[in-house]
């Protein structure tokens, strides 16, 4: 089961924590890669770092090429409480040690059976490069369901889902897709140097009309006084690759990274979960 199949995983830290706790609860050892190029070479090199408390958990290491073609030293640890805490603090798909990382590509085992693995340096395809064994699928999805239902946003989106119950599935899917592509409508309108072209044409007035039925009142209210997609990104943005590379600190990041867009994503993800998974 790839992590991209886990509903609400990328949008909610609470869901990430519940999945991590579920997987860690049934595992007893952990393995990390120390890359030949930049990673950890000797276990005692962790002294003086924030990870020195996992040194007593060290079991063994071997130099090898792992399943993802990266050469380095594979370090194996007993899954002690300090190590679990680091993983929970930094997520299952974490890299220990910043840039460059000391340890990466976490794998978790129950005996000799691998129950979780990831290629944590693959930033752009991370959730396709992280997977949990199918034997844990039901437990993971149950944990996600329990977590989501306890979140305040769940009740708000449940009311919205009820109001959409008579909408045709095709129309529902199409309108949610329009709302999810808000980041591309904004970047297109402000002429950001690089953006994905939206899958369908939609002017701001139509977008706002759709959003009224799908977003919470607070999130929708931001759109009411605005006249165009450009009003959502009033800060200067790079319009050429050269500006993005050489003058990055002068410009706002892509709208995809904005707090407002992330909130829209959270609400739509919760709504889709309620409509598809809960019913």
């Amino acid at each position: 089961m790839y992590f991209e199949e886990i509903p609400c995983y990328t949008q909610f830290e609470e869901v990430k924590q519940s999945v991590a706790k579920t997987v860690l609860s049934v595992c007893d050892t952990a393995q990390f890669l120390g890359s030949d190029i930049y990673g950890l070479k000797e276990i005692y090199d962790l002294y003086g770092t924030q990870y020195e408390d996992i040194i007593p958990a060290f079991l063994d290491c071997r130099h090898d090429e792992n399943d993802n073609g990266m050469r380095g030293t594979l370090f194996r640890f007993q899954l002690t409480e300090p190590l679990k805490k680091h993983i929970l603090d930094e997520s299952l798909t974490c890299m220990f040690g910043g840039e460059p990382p000391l340890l990466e590509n976490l794998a978790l085992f129950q005996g000799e059976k691998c129950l979780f693995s990831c290629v944590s340096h693959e930033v752009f395809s991370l959730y396709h490069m992280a997977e949990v064994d199918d034997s844990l699928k039901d437990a993971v999805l149950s944990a996600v369901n329990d977590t989501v239902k306890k979140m305040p946003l769940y009740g708000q989106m449940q009311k919205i889902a009820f109001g959409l119950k008579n909408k045709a599935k095709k129309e529902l899917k199409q309108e949610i897709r329009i709302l999810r592509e808000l980041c591309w409508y904004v970047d297109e309108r402000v002429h950001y140097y690089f953006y994905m072209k939206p899958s369908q044409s939609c002017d701001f007035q139509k977008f706002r009309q759709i959003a009224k039925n799908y977003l919470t009142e607070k999130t929708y209210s931001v759109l009411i006084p605005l006249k165009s997609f450009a009003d959502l990104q009033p800060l200067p943005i790079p319009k050429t690759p050269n500006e993005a590379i050489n003058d990055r600190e002068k410009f706002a990041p892509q709208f995809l990274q904005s707090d407002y867009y992330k909130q829209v994503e959270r609400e739509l993800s919760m709504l889709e979960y309620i409509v598809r998974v809960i019913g």
Side-chain angles (χ1 to χ4, degrees), residues 66-88:
N66 71 4
D67 293 340
N68 303 296
M70 294 180 64
R71 293 197 63 81
T73 301
L74 295 174
F75 292 87
R76 191 165 64 96
F77 299 87
Q78 194 70 36
L79 198 54
T80 58
E81 290 305 314
L83 179 51
K84 286 182 182 180
K85 185 177 186 306
H86 283 298
I87 293 171
L88 288 172

Side-chain angles (χ1 to χ4, degrees), residues 90-105:
E90 303 184 42
S91 87
L92 283 175
T93 51
C94 64
M95 295 188 286
F96 284 3
E99 296 182 6
L102 293 170
L103 296 168
E104 58 188 313
N105 295 5

Side-chain angles (χ1 to χ4, degrees), residues 165-222:
K165 66 177 183 177
N166 294 323
K167 191 177 285 288
K169 289 185 178 180
K170 183 177 180 180
E171 183 181 6
L172 187 74
K173 183 177 180 180
Q174 181 183 43
E175 291 184 337
I176 288 178
R177 184 169 185 178
I178 287 173
L179 297 178
R180 279 192 178 278
E181 293 184 351
L182 173 61
C183 55
W184 308 131
Y185 289 115
V186 171
D187 286 348
E188 180 182 46
R189 183 63 183 82
V190 299
H191 305 296
Y192 197 91
Y193 83 97
F194 171 80
Y195 66 90
M196 294 286 290
K197 186 154 185 74
S199 61
Q200 50 197 305
S201 177
C202 180
D203 61 37
F204 184 72
Q205 287 68 33
K206 179 182 177 181
F207 182 93
R208 188 168 53 191
Q209 183 179 0
I210 294 171
K212 185 176 182 179
N213 297 318
Y214 288 82
L215 303 180
T216 62
E217 184 177 349
K218 181 179 180 180
T219 302
Y220 171 71
S221 68
V222 173

Side-chain angles (χ1 to χ4, degrees), residues 3 9 13 16-17 20 24 30-34 38 50-51 54 70 79 82-108 116-123 126-127 129-130:
F3 270 40
Y9 185 85
E13 188 60 36
K16 290 182 181 180
Q17 285 285 305
L24 289 171
Q31 176 183 281
F32 288 92
L33 172 73
Y38 49 73
Q50 68 187 96
Y51 308 108
I54 71 172
M70 294 180 64
L79 198 54
L83 179 51
K84 286 182 182 180
K85 185 177 186 306
H86 283 298
I87 293 171
L88 288 172
D89 286 347
E90 303 184 42
S91 87
L92 283 175
T93 51
C94 64
M95 295 188 286
F96 284 3
E99 296 182 6
L102 293 170
L103 296 168
E104 58 188 313
N105 295 5
L106 172 64
L108 295 169
F116 166 80
S117 63
C118 73
V119 185
S120 50
H121 71 282
E122 293 287 354
V123 177
L126 183 56
Y127 298 111
M129 301 294 286

